[in-house]
């Protein structure tokens, strides 16, 4: 009898945890984010509750100290993309993200998406390459969003500063969903995305 009670208690714990998780994930959750040049603010709405978010504030780039005895430096050529980012399969990542959105388009509401991005790589040629690549991505994403969602405000504006070296952006996003209805799709596409990223890691890193 005691063994049965212990076994019943052990089985009851995961059932209660699952019920609690389902209860917490059932209410609609809304997120509103404004990110501008490193500064992030926003709000999270959970049912009737609401919290404000305050992320890091944007700061001007620190000026590099010049070693004594050296003459004045000319402006550097380009702060290039990190090597890890250059190795990523950006096309595959974008397609996976669109596949996720396609799976949840009946469960996810996007009220607002506004992006203004001015690219600056410190070199006119590289800025042009980056702008062309991101314009191609925007050309895939924008029509998909128009077809799949009813978005009150949808704007994606890309431009290039061919003489500067500081990229500027202004992003507004507002969306809402019931998390419990996104779990399965998030798990499937999250795993695929993880595998895509893992494939770009150096062989030595994978071997460790």
């Amino acid at each position: 009898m005691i063994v049965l009670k212990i076994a019943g208690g052990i089985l009851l714990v995961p059932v209660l945890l699952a019920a609690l998780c389902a209860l917490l994930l059932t209410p609609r959750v809304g997120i509103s984010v404004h990110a501008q040049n490193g500064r992030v603010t926003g709000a999270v709405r959970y049912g009737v509750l609401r919290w404000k978010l305050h992320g890091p504030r944007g700061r001007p780039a620190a000026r590099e100290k010049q070693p004594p005895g050296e003459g004045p430096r000319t402006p550097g050529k380009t702060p290039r993309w990190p090597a890890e980012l250059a190795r990523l399969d950006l096309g595959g990542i974008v397609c996976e993200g669109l596949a996720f959105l396609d799976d949840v388009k009946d469960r996810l509401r996007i009220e607002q998406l506004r992006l203004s991005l001015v690219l600056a790589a410190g070199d006119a040629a590289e800025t042009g390459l980056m702008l062309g690549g991101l314009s191609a991505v925007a050309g895939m994403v924008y029509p998909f969003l128009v077809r799949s969602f009813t978005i009150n405000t949808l704007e994606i504006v890309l431009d290039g500063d061919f003489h500067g070296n500081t990229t500027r952006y202004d992003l507004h996003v507002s969306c809402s969903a019931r998390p419990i209805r996104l779990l399965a799709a998030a798990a499937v596409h999250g795993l695929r995305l993880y595998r895509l990223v893992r494939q770009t890691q150096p062989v030595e890193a994978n071997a460790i």
Side-chain angles (χ1 to χ4, degrees):
M1 191 69 178
I2 296 177
V3 175
L4 290 177
K5 288 183 179 180
I6 294 175
I10 294 174
L11 292 174
L12 186 61
V13 170
V15 172
L16 290 176
L17 288 176
L20 180 61
C21 289
L23 184 62
L24 292 175
L25 295 174
T26 297
R28 179 167 290 276
V29 176
I31 299 175
S32 178
V33 175
H34 177 209
Q36 184 178 33
N37 301 328
R39 180 178 181 178
V40 181
T41 58
V44 176
R45 186 180 69 255
Y46 177 80
V48 296
L49 304 177
R50 185 181 177 89
W51 297 272
K52 290 186 177 181
L53 302 177
H54 298 281
R57 296 177 180 272
R59 295 179 180 178
R63 189 173 293 177
E64 185 180 354
K65 292 183 179 180
Q66 184 174 335
E70 287 191 7
R73 292 183 179 177
T74 56
K77 223 184 172 176
T78 113
R80 298 180 182 275
W81 290 105
E84 293 80 4
L85 184 59
R87 286 195 297 264
L88 290 178
D89 179 8
L90 293 180
I93 291 174
V94 171
C95 289
E96 196 60 50
L98 294 181
F100 167 73
L101 291 176
D102 188 56
D103 283 351
V104 301
K105 61 185 178 183
D106 297 327
R107 292 162 274 175
L108 175 67
R109 297 178 188 171
I110 303 177
E111 291 87 18
Q112 176 182 218
L113 174 57
R114 288 190 289 141
L115 172 63
S116 175
L117 177 64
V118 180
L119 289 166
D123 177 79
E126 186 166 354
T127 299
L129 289 173
M130 292 165 53
L131 182 59
L134 288 181
S135 296
V137 171
M140 296 170 56
V141 173
Y142 190 92
F144 170 83
L145 293 175
V146 170
R147 290 194 309 268
S148 303
F149 296 92
T150 302
I151 305 177
N152 296 331
T153 305
L154 176 59
E155 298 176 5
I156 300 178
V157 180
L158 303 179
D159 201 355
D161 181 359
F162 296 94
H163 301 288
N165 57 8
T166 302
T167 294
R168 304 183 302 276
Y169 62 88
D170 190 4
L171 173 66
H172 296 258
V173 180
S174 298
C175 60
S176 64
R178 298 184 189 278
I180 196 169
R181 302 184 65 193
L182 305 181
L183 287 179
V188 171
H189 294 284
L191 181 59
R192 292 177 184 171
L193 186 60
Y194 172 76
R195 289 173 178 169
L196 273 175
V197 174
R198 285 287 296 173
Q199 288 173 2
T200 66
Q201 301 301 312
V203 176
E204 294 82 1
N206 288 333
I208 295 176

